[in-house]
Amino acid sequence: MITRRDFLAGVTAGLAIGRRVEAQPAKTTLYNGIALPSPWPPRRHTWDAVPQRPPYLIAPPQVINIDVGRQLFVDDFLIQESGLHRAFHSATYHPASPVLRPEREWELRDPYERVTGHPSPTAMVFSDGVFFDAREQLFRMYYMAGYQQHTALAVSKDGVSWTRPSLGVVPGTNIVVNGGRDSSTVWLDLEGPAAERFKMAAYDLELKALRLHVSADGVRWREVGRSGHCGDRSTFFRNPFRGVWGFSLRADRPGSLTRYRHYVETTDFSTATWADGDPVVWAGSDSGDLQRADLRTEPQLYNLDAVAYESVMLGLFTVYRGERDDREKPNDICVGFSRDGFHWSREGRDPFIGVSEQAGAWNWGNVQSAGGGCVIVGDLLHFYVSGRSGIAGTALPGTCSTGLATLRRDGFASVSDAAPAGAARLVSNARGTLTTRVVQFSGSHLFVNADIRGSIKAEILDRGGRVIAPFSAARCDGTTGNGTRLALNWNGASLKELAGIPVRIRFLLDRAQLFAFWVSPSPAGQSRGYLAAGGPGYSRLTDAG
């Protein structure tokens, strides 16, 4: 152990390294120290079926800034050594699902009914968007009303019970865009001007491009442009880490219907157009994706919706796993995480939100994600998904509804000193502990999201691994219980003394499960991270108090 005074006297070189990260232009080096390659986005010529590790995991930054958001254990980016086990977790369907069913006359129409002999009444998110609007103190859900018919708006006070307001665009209905449609995305833009607070990109089946719209109220829209050429099921999202709009575009291998994704980005939504050669190869299914035992079909990436959540970009990967003539294709949703906005880590490959295997269930046929990703509701994340019931004996959609799945906040992955089923040992070293890479922060209060039956303690180390007094495990008060915002303290000592200095953090777990940690500037525990689609109690893009 070294004293605090000795440590502070010998950190000149470390300070220089740490501050150099913050001084880099945002377009070349991100807040976390990841340097973006040139050209950007990276140019890929083909999609590789072999799983690829993001370059920032192969060569992580010398110093990782952790000032933005809760720090998740979804990959090895933050981990220097560990004797813990990591497990990935799936969301659970809310018992009220589906929370929105087709009921109104304009939701029951299906232009294909005369051909198929079966209707497909529809009130489902097909990307579209679900957000919490702090200005109105309401949840807003945009959805497909009637199969490939309209875009409509439902609202809710609790995110579970939804109503359809009469909006006047089409008298007596909640329709906001009248007419044929396929995939569509709506985004509540908290960074843009008031007149463009809402953005929409809707796929036009005839143009084979996205029509770009903006709106001040999310009800009355005006078209401001058209995108470049793209396939159906193309969507978009906001990447606030870099201040760009990312477009997730359907792509198919030449001569086949094997789906993967192209990507293009722009700083100006209204001028999001591109030449055919501009979008780059982005993401696809690979040999790590699971095949269904009843189909034995090579999986494909059907869609990828993304959103900024805390310190990472969260990706919702809709995976196609094949289909038969007697059941609607059973797409399900997996998750991925990106720390640079382009490369994805997908260590957990089990479905995050799956289909039901019970014929006749609302989600027996197909589930897909919503724009905005998730809403933060207290200690839970709300994920809204489309669900198709299918019609047994056919490949038709059947009734198309919207369901709700929930997950513990930050609960995508956890590390634990126990070995739950399916967990993997990270590194065979120092049983019961996890030590981070060299990190720096400007806050003064350490928080964890954890389920603790014994205890969790932490200690702060210098770059060489020596404990810095008084931040030792012996002096750490520790914490117990189960909570998504638990404080760790050192008998009154403040981490503010170490602000801006490269250090390591070592966690010591005893019968505990750790989901995330962060260093906050406030004893209230704000993370300064991004809040996905918002949530009750938040009025900003970030958790800034």
Side-chain angles (χ1 to χ4, degrees):
M1 183 179 295
I2 63 172
T3 67
R4 176 176 38 186
R5 179 176 297 176
D6 291 341
F7 174 70
L8 293 175
V11 297
T12 304
L15 276 170
I17 292 174
R19 288 176 179 164
R20 197 155 52 238
V21 171
E22 294 183 343
Q24 294 296 322
K27 292 184 178 180
T28 57
T29 300
L30 303 181
Y31 85 92
N32 51 23
I34 294 174
L36 303 183
S38 181
W40 184 268
R43 310 300 296 186
R44 290 172 170 167
H45 301 291
T46 60
W47 175 251
D48 196 331
V50 177
Q52 302 292 307
R53 293 188 75 204
Y56 53 78
L57 294 183
I58 299 172
Q62 289 185 338
V63 178
I64 299 172
N65 188 303
I66 59 171
D67 272 347
V68 178
R70 299 177 180 217
Q71 305 298 311
L72 310 179
F73 295 106
V74 294
D75 56 23
D76 293 338
F77 182 67
L78 295 160
I79 301 169
Q80 181 65 44
E81 58 180 17
S82 172
L84 303 179
H85 301 266
R86 175 162 50 211
F88 288 86
H89 309 287
S90 298
T92 303
Y93 280 112
H94 192 285
S97 292
V99 294
L100 191 73
R101 304 170 183 264
E103 299 172 350
R104 304 299 171 86
E105 187 272 335
W106 55 92
E107 297 170 347
L108 304 179
R109 296 174 181 168
D110 179 358
Y112 307 106
E113 181 179 354
R114 293 181 180 178
V115 177
T116 66
H118 297 281
S120 294
T122 299
M124 71 170 178
V125 291
F126 198 43
S127 280
D128 290 280
V130 184
F131 296 85
F132 184 78
D133 187 346
R135 182 179 297 180
E136 302 293 332
Q137 288 296 297
L138 287 173
F139 293 78
R140 302 171 71 105
M141 177 191 294
Y142 293 88
Y143 68 96
M144 178 190 287
Y147 198 79
Q148 292 190 338
Q149 293 299 289
H150 317 282
T151 299
L153 171 64
V155 297
S156 172
K157 293 183 178 180
D158 62 5
V160 178
S161 300
W162 295 83
T163 60
R164 298 166 172 84
S166 181
L167 300 172
V169 176
V170 177
T173 77
N174 64 331
I175 293 171
V176 298
V177 178
N178 189 24
R181 54 156 288 176
D182 190 75
S183 182
S184 177
T185 314
V186 175
W187 206 267
L188 174 55
D189 180 12
L190 299 182
E191 300 173 293
E196 301 178 4
R197 190 165 176 257
F198 294 87
K199 309 283 196 296
M200 177 190 293
Y203 186 75
D204 188 298
L205 294 165
E206 295 183 0
L207 292 174
K208 299 192 183 304
L210 298 168
R211 290 183 178 271
L212 308 176
H213 300 78
V214 297
S215 172
D217 60 4
V219 175
R220 294 161 183 82
W221 298 84
R222 60 185 175 90
E223 186 171 342
V224 293
R226 299 177 185 178
S227 76
H229 178 268
C230 62
D232 63 357
R233 204 63 186 101
S234 293
T235 64
F236 79 99
F237 59 93
R238 179 67 173 171
N239 179 346
F241 293 103
R242 297 186 50 249
V244 297
W245 297 98
F247 286 79
S248 172
L249 308 176
R250 174 181 173 174
D252 297 276
R253 290 177 184 167
S256 74
L257 291 178
T258 302
R259 297 175 181 240
Y260 64 103
R261 306 304 285 183
H262 276 165
Y263 174 83
V264 68
E265 66 182 38
T266 179
T267 56
D268 184 356
F269 174 81
S270 63
T271 58
T273 188
W274 51 81
D276 287 348
D278 290 341
V280 300
V281 174
W282 187 27
S285 288
D286 56 41
S287 59
D289 283 309
L290 308 175
Q291 293 186 9
R292 285 181 60 99
D294 59 337
L295 295 173
R296 305 305 299 174
T297 301
E298 178 184 352
Q300 301 174 28
L301 183 54
Y302 204 83
N303 182 41
L304 171 51
D305 284 322
V307 68
Y309 175 76
E310 292 293 348
S311 56
V312 300
M313 292 298 296
L314 164 66
L316 299 174
F317 288 66
T318 296
V319 180
Y320 167 92
R321 304 190 194 274
E323 59 186 308
R324 297 189 310 217
D325 292 338
D326 60 352
R327 180 181 181 180
E328 162 73 314
K329 49 184 176 287
N331 293 354
D332 54 45
I333 302 171
C334 295
V335 290
F337 306 90
S338 178
R339 297 182 185 272
D340 67 3
F342 185 85
H343 301 93
W344 296 95
S345 174
R346 298 181 57 214
E347 296 192 28
R349 296 301 183 103
D350 290 329
F352 177 66
I353 303 175
V355 296
S356 171
E357 297 305 326
Q358 180 179 350
W362 68 274
N363 57 343
W364 180 64
N366 187 310
V367 296
Q368 300 193 43
S369 57
C374 58
V375 182
I376 301 172
V377 184
D379 290 334
L380 292 176
L381 302 180
H382 279 201
F383 293 85
Y384 296 89
V385 299
S386 63
R388 307 186 194 197
S389 66
I391 300 173
T394 78
L396 297 173
T399 301
C400 304
S401 306
T402 300
L404 167 62
T406 65
L407 181 75
R408 178 193 183 103
R409 186 167 180 173
D410 311 330
F412 303 99
S414 62
V415 292
S416 173
D417 56 325
R425 190 72 166 266
L426 296 178
V427 179
S428 183
N429 195 351
R431 184 175 179 83
T433 71
L434 180 149
T435 304
T436 70
R437 300 186 191 277
V438 178
V439 299
Q440 71 172 24
F441 48 81
S442 63
S444 51
H445 302 272
L446 178 62
F447 285 85
V448 296
N449 180 340
D451 184 359
I452 310 166
R453 295 170 300 285
S455 68
I456 284 183
K457 293 188 175 184
E459 56 189 6
I460 311 300
L461 317 177
D462 69 1
R463 297 177 70 126
R466 297 175 298 176
V467 176
I468 304 169
F471 303 102
S472 66
R475 291 179 58 90
C476 181
D477 293 339
T479 188
T480 189
N482 184 359
T484 61
R485 192 185 306 229
L486 302 173
L488 292 177
N489 299 292
W490 287 269
N491 295 327
S494 173
L495 287 177
K496 187 176 182 179
E497 300 177 31
L498 305 180
I501 297 171
V503 297
R504 302 181 193 272
I505 305 175
R506 177 183 292 154
F507 293 97
L508 299 90
L509 277 63
D510 174 22
R511 291 164 293 151
Q513 195 174 18
L514 177 61
F515 296 89
F517 75 95
W518 66 102
V519 181
S520 174
S522 165
Q526 290 89 353
S527 71
R528 296 179 288 186
Y530 290 99
L531 297 172
Y538 300 107
S539 59
R540 305 180 185 179
L541 188 64
T542 60
D543 180 16

